[in-house]
Amino acid sequence: MISEPSRHCAVELKALPSRIGQVRRIISAQLRYWHLDPLIDHAALGVTELLTNVHRHAQPDKSCTVEIELLLDRLTVSVHDHDPRLPTVCHADQSATSGRGLAMIAAVSESWGVRPSDDAGKVIWFTLSAPSFTTAALHPLPVYGSTTDGPFASDVMGLVEPAAARTRARSAVVG
């Protein structure tokens, strides 16, 4: 039995300026759904910086995948693009208008890194520490193949419910 489930969300897109705001909203909504509201600002900032780098620097195309995954008490945000060139952290001048993206990610995250991907390109990732209460607050994952009807339906305490108290499950949403 998994006591603290993993949560995962992936978005494929072309890293165009018009799409970056949409992805920020998707990530924010997903984190709200997972009850990770305190992480929204840092996750949105980090994904914006990574997508901006893809838009400005990635070759041969701007296609990428943004993934967020909650595993135990750690949120990992990653962006996979098709450019095998690895980024470098710049030390931007105070008057510079760009060049601080990876330094900002390093400042707001617990850890970050880059690795070549198996299918060409690279993955840049960062982690944020999730509040310890979040895994208990997550919506339960549905158990496929189970039913709520039959002689052995049970409530959360493991007690058998009378047939009149049982209701049939109508739908489930995986988070």
Side-chain angles (χ1 to χ4, degrees), residues 64-113:
C64 63
T65 302
V66 175
E67 293 185 74
I68 57 172
E69 182 175 30
L70 176 64
L71 184 59
L72 302 175
D73 62 348
R74 186 102 34 257
L75 180 75
T76 302
V77 179
S78 61
V79 174
H80 170 230
D81 66 43
H82 300 115
D83 188 344
R85 297 175 299 158
L86 302 180
T88 57
V89 178
C90 297
H91 298 287
D93 183 76
Q94 286 183 346
S95 61
T97 59
S98 64
R100 293 186 182 86
L102 292 176
M104 286 194 313
I105 289 171
V108 302
S109 67
E110 187 174 86
S111 61
W112 76 276

Side-chain angles (χ1 to χ4, degrees), residues 11-26:
V11 180
E12 293 180 281
L13 69 141
K14 291 246 188 225
L16 303 173
S18 61
R19 296 299 313 264
I20 294 172
Q22 292 172 339
V23 173
R24 285 174 57 98
R25 287 187 294 279
I26 291 168

